[in-house]
């Protein structure tokens, strides 16, 4: 009986010692030992303000002259009149050139607008 008790205590102590002192198993542990923060993202995203130039094609400084020249060219070729989608000074110049009116010149010049917009950069 003494032997059974001693053997039981020895087995219990051995099993307890093995369970408490053992390291947890990890697959391919050698790859991660050198990179302790492998699970955390290394990206930091922050807002960046950028500037865009809003150019209006109908109101550049030579819009009327360009439209007038293209209108004259279309009339010389004999092409049917098609209204221009650009609008503004270009369209006015195109109409005057196509119908043979006198060159009136640019009336309105709208400067380009610089607009900020915010984007995210990581």
């Amino acid at each position: 009986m003494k032997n059974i008790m001693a053997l039981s205590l020895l087995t219990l102590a051995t099993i307890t010692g093995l369970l408490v002192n053992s390291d947890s198993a990890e697959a391919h542990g050698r790859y991660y030992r050198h990179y302790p923060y492998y699970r955390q993202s290394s990206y930091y995203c922050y807002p960046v303000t950028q500037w865009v130039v809003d150019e209006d094609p109908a109101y550049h400084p030579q819009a009327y002259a360009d439209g007038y020249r293209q209108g004259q060219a279309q009339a010389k070729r004999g092409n049917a009149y098609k209204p221009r989608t650009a609008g503004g000074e270009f369209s006015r110049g195109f109409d005057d050139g196509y119908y043979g009116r006198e060159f009136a010149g640019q009336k309105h010049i709208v400067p380009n607008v610089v607009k900020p917009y915010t984007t995210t950069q990581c």
Side-chain angles (χ1 to χ4, degrees):
M1 183 81 171
K2 287 185 179 182
N3 288 339
I4 293 176
M5 288 291 266
L7 187 60
S8 297
L9 286 175
L10 183 65
T11 305
L12 184 63
T14 305
I15 290 174
T16 305
L18 288 174
L19 290 176
V20 170
N21 293 328
S22 66
D23 291 333
S24 61
E26 61 181 70
H28 303 288
R30 61 182 174 185
Y31 299 120
Y32 298 119
R33 286 183 188 146
H34 302 292
Y35 306 105
Y37 303 109
Y38 67 93
R39 290 185 180 160
Q40 294 179 357
S41 175
S42 62
Y43 295 112
Y44 173 69
C45 298
Y46 51 92
V48 175
T49 301
Q50 295 183 352
W51 302 90
V52 64
V53 178
D54 184 19
E55 298 176 351
D56 190 348
Y59 287 109
H60 67 278
Q62 296 296 320
Y64 181 84
D66 289 346
Y68 192 85
R69 180 182 46 79
Q70 288 184 19
Q72 282 182 333
Q74 291 293 327
K76 279 184 186 177
R77 291 186 196 133
N79 294 341
Y81 175 79
K82 292 180 187 173
R84 297 300 174 195
T85 58
E89 293 294 308
F90 180 84
S91 179
R92 192 173 66 83
F94 183 84
D95 291 347
D96 290 351
Y98 186 83
Y99 291 119
R101 297 182 194 134
E102 188 176 328
F103 186 86
Q106 187 101 3
K107 286 185 180 177
H108 304 286
I109 296 177
V110 177
N112 293 334
V113 179
V114 180
K115 295 180 180 179
Y117 71 96
T118 304
T119 184
T120 303
Q121 186 167 356
C122 295

